[in-house]
Amino acid sequence: MNLTWLSSNLSWILELTLAHLWLTLIPTVVGLALALPLGWWAHQVPRLYGLIVGTSGLFYTIPSLAFFVLLPGVIGTQILDPINVVIALTIYTLALMVRVVADGLAAVPRETVEAAEAMGYRAFQRFTRVQLPVAVPVILAGLWVAVVSNISIVTMAAIIGVQQLGSLFTQGYSLGLMTPIVTGIILCLLIAVVLDLLILGLSRMLTPWRPAAARSVTARSASATKTRPASAGATTGPSRPSPSEGSGKGVLS
Amino acid sequence: MIVFDQVSKTYPDGTVAVDSLSLEAPQGEITVLVGPSGCGKTTSMRMINRLIDPTSGSITMDGEDTSGIDKVELRRRIGYVIQNAGLFPHRTVVDNVGALPRLLGTKKSPARERAMELLELVGLDESLAQRYPWQLSGGQQQRVGVARALATDPPFLLMDEPFSAVDPIVRAQLQQEFLRLQERIGKTIVLVTHDIDEALILGDQIAVLRQGGHLAQVASPEVLLRDPADAFVANFVGRSRGYRSLGFTGADEHTPILQTASAVLGEAAEALRFRPDGWLVAVDAQRRPIGWAHRDQVGAALQDSAINHAGSTASLGAPLRDFLDAALSSPNGDGIVTDAEGALLGVVSTDDVVAAIRRAKGAAAATRAAS
């Protein structure tokens, strides 16, 4: 490790870490917010499930670099504007989370939803007061996959000059130094761990009603997002990555 | 009162689920819809709160056509209990019960207070109030389901196979408790079940439906057993319907209750007086019968080991079925009869019970001929 480089670039590294955090978090939150109504719609109208989930999933196949480069032309932003990265990652998050939300809602016991309907809950009241709270474990498990994937994909933005931890990779490459690269990887992992703990805490807070054993298992298991076996083969787009596929994307594409 | 008038439900593929059903569910009574699967009983019930809309015909509640009421408003006037309870897994027991009042704007603490009262009403200990549904047994969940349906004190209650998912012992207990509850609350109830025994126990009135949504017969349990409308109803009501129908007829005043030899448990053998056939009724200190004892079995004193426990007992005023069962289950053909407190009154012979049944049949036939 080149400690001289490290100490002289400390404040820059901190800046990059914060930027990385924001570039990951904002798209995750916005993407989830958009996925909720879409996922609800896909769940509510089974005829449209394949179309909505398949189409949104397709966006995940667009290589991130192509996305960053093409977006300014499509929406008229500056090529160096971080908003391009935010929008691209929001779309990736949306692509992942629409299916997760739809499947999470499908996993809510049928008689629970039926009881709410028969008791006189309006559709929106059913969604916010019954379906969504009960689907939280599945949705958060899927969100974790999206977060990890975003942390990794953000690094690609270094190539178009948007500063974040990925900039350490390009820096290290051009200077022929390992230290920036290793630092970048470690900090990415650190962010992943911190956000994982954040989601775990959120899950604990939102689901005090679950058996303790079930809580510790599904908060981390991405397999919880793979419900809806009946339509698994027939309707999918190319999406539904495992965590490893997700994090590999930023590097490979 | 809920009235079905010529109600039909036909699905787009042509399946007729309910065919021109006309039926009244009287105020404050339990109307049971019963029939084999595919008979349209659940569909019929779900048309009341418009979870399903009828294709034709009308359903009125207290004279008001339900098709003119906003679906959600309508459902809030009708309590609903389903199989497996359908509780909200993310809410505690007390908050499950208080969920609808909260939705309609009741403040948290009065909603909880009311919920606690309801939990007591359905026989749940208050220590369960803070538990989540997965921490309850099936029977407990079902009670919470009933409490939840009563939360806004609706005048109507719909129950879809409410006791089907619990084991037979718990089911029998829930049924009896439910009948006692209904005596207090007097709701107008429509209950769906596939189980004719449950229908006979719970129903003030039973509507038997057959495949294709045809109403085969509407009648009280007694009439259904004694006078089924056709072979389908007779078959559906099942075997031993003759025996079960005795459950609705009392023994008349001409049925002789005879004195019998009896002795308190523990009495010495030399003090015992047996009947000519060698039997006596062993009783406890409160003179409640324990069973029959035969002279040949009794040793130095009347011990529990010498007692035959096979005989059931009938209390005075019980239906003929209890008298017949007491006589038939007795080791000597005489049924033990008790007073209202359960103390030994005497015995009734099988012949006298059969004679009473004959007289009851004759009276029923005479009534029918007259009407």
Side-chain angles (χ1 to χ4, degrees):
Chain A
M1 290 292 271
N2 188 332
L3 290 179
T4 326
W5 180 90
L6 207 58
S7 61
S8 59
N9 287 286
L10 218 50
S11 72
W12 183 54
I13 294 172
L14 185 68
E15 243 171 69
L16 294 181
T17 310
L18 285 178
H20 200 105
L21 202 56
W22 284 120
L23 286 173
T24 305
L25 277 180
I26 293 172
T28 305
V29 172
V30 177
L32 173 63
L34 295 175
L36 287 175
L38 273 176
W40 176 80
W41 191 30
H43 169 67
Q44 209 64 17
V45 190
R47 268 183 308 122
L48 295 181
Y49 176 87
L51 185 71
I52 297 171
V53 170
T55 311
S56 58
L58 270 181
F59 282 101
Y60 203 80
T61 59
I62 301 175
S64 52
L65 190 54
F67 229 148
F68 296 152
V69 174
L70 289 176
L71 262 178
V74 177
I75 58 174
T77 45
Q78 298 293 314
I79 183 97
L80 290 182
D81 199 332
I83 195 77
N84 298 323
V85 178
V86 171
I87 291 174
L89 289 184
T90 300
I91 291 172
Y92 283 141
T93 307
L94 184 70
L96 285 179
M97 293 307 292
V98 168
R99 169 190 291 277
V100 170
V101 170
D103 291 355
L105 295 176
V108 177
R110 192 189 51 78
E111 59 262 31
T112 301
V113 183
E114 190 191 305
E117 186 183 4
M119 284 164 72
Y121 281 66
R122 296 186 188 279
F124 186 69
Q125 292 169 329
R126 279 205 297 281
F127 178 61
T128 56
R129 290 174 181 245
V130 179
Q131 293 171 288
L132 198 54
V134 177
V136 157
V138 175
I139 292 175
L140 286 187
L143 193 66
W144 182 69
V145 177
V147 165
V148 173
S149 146
N150 283 348
I151 291 172
S152 163
I153 299 174
V154 169
T155 58
M156 290 302 293
I159 296 172
I160 56 158
V162 175
Q163 298 277 302
Q164 30 64 42
L165 289 176
S167 310
L168 292 174
F169 303 151
T170 48
Q171 176 89 350
Y173 182 70
S174 59
L175 296 180
L177 276 178
M178 275 308 283
T179 306
I181 295 174
V182 173
T183 308
I185 292 173
I186 290 174
L187 287 174
C188 278
L189 286 174
L190 206 63
I191 290 178
V193 170
V194 168
L195 293 184
D196 180 29
L197 290 176
L198 195 74
I199 289 177
L200 195 66
L202 199 63
S203 172
R204 287 258 163 91
M205 199 179 77
L206 292 177
T207 61
W209 48 276
R210 305 185 69 217
R215 257 191 289 169
S216 60
V217 175
T218 48
R220 283 157 192 276
S221 103
S223 69
T225 64
K226 297 187 179 176
T227 49
R228 200 150 187 150
S231 56
T235 57
T236 61
S239 70
R240 205 162 53 169
S242 72
S244 60
E245 283 171 300
S247 46
K249 182 178 182 68
V251 183
L252 294 175
S253 58
Chain B
M1 182 160 76
I2 301 172
V3 181
F4 285 74
D5 184 23
Q6 304 272 308
V7 175
S8 296
K9 177 66 191 178
T10 312
Y11 285 102
D13 66 356
T15 315
V16 178
V18 178
D19 186 19
S20 197
L21 176 67
S22 292
L23 181 68
E24 284 182 11
Q27 202 71 35
E29 292 193 1
I30 302 175
T31 298
V32 178
L33 306 181
V34 68
S37 58
C39 72
K41 55 190 189 292
T42 302
T43 306
S44 300
M45 194 194 74
R46 292 162 69 97
M47 286 194 287
I48 296 173
N49 62 354
R50 294 181 61 202
L51 288 170
I52 298 172
D53 277 316
T55 313
S56 65
S58 74
I59 299 174
T60 55
M61 271 170 38
D62 289 344
E64 193 178 356
D65 192 331
T66 54
S67 64
I69 310 172
D70 173 65
K71 279 184 188 181
V72 170
E73 293 303 323
L74 175 69
R75 288 170 194 162
R76 289 175 181 174
R77 289 190 218 168
I78 305 173
Y80 192 75
V81 183
I82 57 176
Q83 193 176 5
N84 297 318
L87 299 181
F88 300 144
H90 61 303
R91 297 237 183 277
T92 57
V93 165
V94 64
D95 289 342
N96 258 283
V97 177
L100 188 57
R102 289 283 289 139
L103 185 79
L104 302 181
T106 308
K107 294 267 179 296
K108 194 161 193 161
S109 99
R112 286 210 167 164
E113 245 168 70
R114 166 85 178 135
M116 294 304 287
E117 288 170 23
L118 285 164
L119 289 178
E120 200 194 329
L121 186 69
V122 299
L124 278 177
D125 194 89
E126 63 179 57
S127 65
L128 299 175
Q130 297 305 326
R131 295 215 186 154
Y132 288 103
W134 66 270
Q135 296 168 306
L136 303 182
S137 70
Q140 288 169 336
Q141 290 188 21
Q142 210 54 54
R143 287 167 204 246
V144 178
V146 173
R148 183 174 67 173
L150 296 172
T152 56
D153 200 19
F156 304 98
L157 212 52
L158 304 183
M159 309 181 83
D160 187 3
E161 303 269 6
F163 308 123
S164 299
V166 293
D167 66 69
I169 292 172
V170 175
R171 188 184 310 146
Q173 197 185 342
L174 286 176
Q175 287 167 344
Q176 290 311 318
E177 279 177 24
F178 174 67
L179 285 175
R180 281 198 292 275
L181 180 66
Q182 165 66 354
E183 271 174 33
R184 291 174 64 181
I185 60 179
K187 303 289 182 193
T188 303
I189 298 173
V190 175
L191 184 147
V192 162
T193 181
H194 64 275
D195 176 358
I196 184 66
D197 291 312
E198 179 162 273
L200 292 169
I201 292 166
L202 298 179
D204 295 309
Q205 167 182 272
I206 299 172
V208 183
L209 288 96
R210 75 173 102 218
Q211 239 90 15
H214 300 279
L215 183 62
Q217 187 173 13
V218 193
S220 67
E222 183 186 359
V223 171
L224 206 62
L225 287 164
R226 200 187 58 209
D227 205 1
D230 56 24
F232 169 78
V233 177
N235 259 323
F236 190 75
V237 171
R239 287 184 184 283
S240 71
R241 54 184 177 269
Y243 177 66
R244 287 194 296 200
S245 73
L246 295 176
F248 301 95
T249 315
D252 60 13
E253 68 278 11
H254 305 299
T255 313
I257 311 292
L258 307 170
Q259 294 289 317
T260 185
S262 66
V264 179
L265 198 65
E267 257 185 81
E270 49 276 20
L272 299 179
R273 290 233 199 88
F274 292 91
R275 304 184 340 161
D277 62 359
W279 292 96
L280 62 69
V281 177
V283 296
D284 65 11
Q286 282 81 46
R287 290 203 53 75
R288 286 181 302 222
I290 301 168
W292 290 98
H294 195 267
R295 185 189 288 129
D296 300 345
Q297 303 295 319
V298 177
L302 182 59
Q303 300 295 343
D304 192 70
S305 57
I307 292 172
N308 179 320
H309 292 277
S312 61
T313 66
S315 67
L316 199 67
L320 274 172
R321 183 173 68 171
D322 291 14
F323 280 80
L324 184 62
D325 193 72
L328 291 179
S329 61
S330 158
N332 54 41
D334 285 353
I336 299 172
V337 181
T338 65
D339 63 17
E341 277 74 49
L344 177 68
L345 206 63
V347 294
V348 62
S349 75
T350 306
D351 291 345
D352 288 338
V353 176
V354 172
I357 293 170
R358 284 192 178 283
R359 286 195 299 277
K361 292 264 178 211
T367 320
R368 245 173 305 163
S371 65

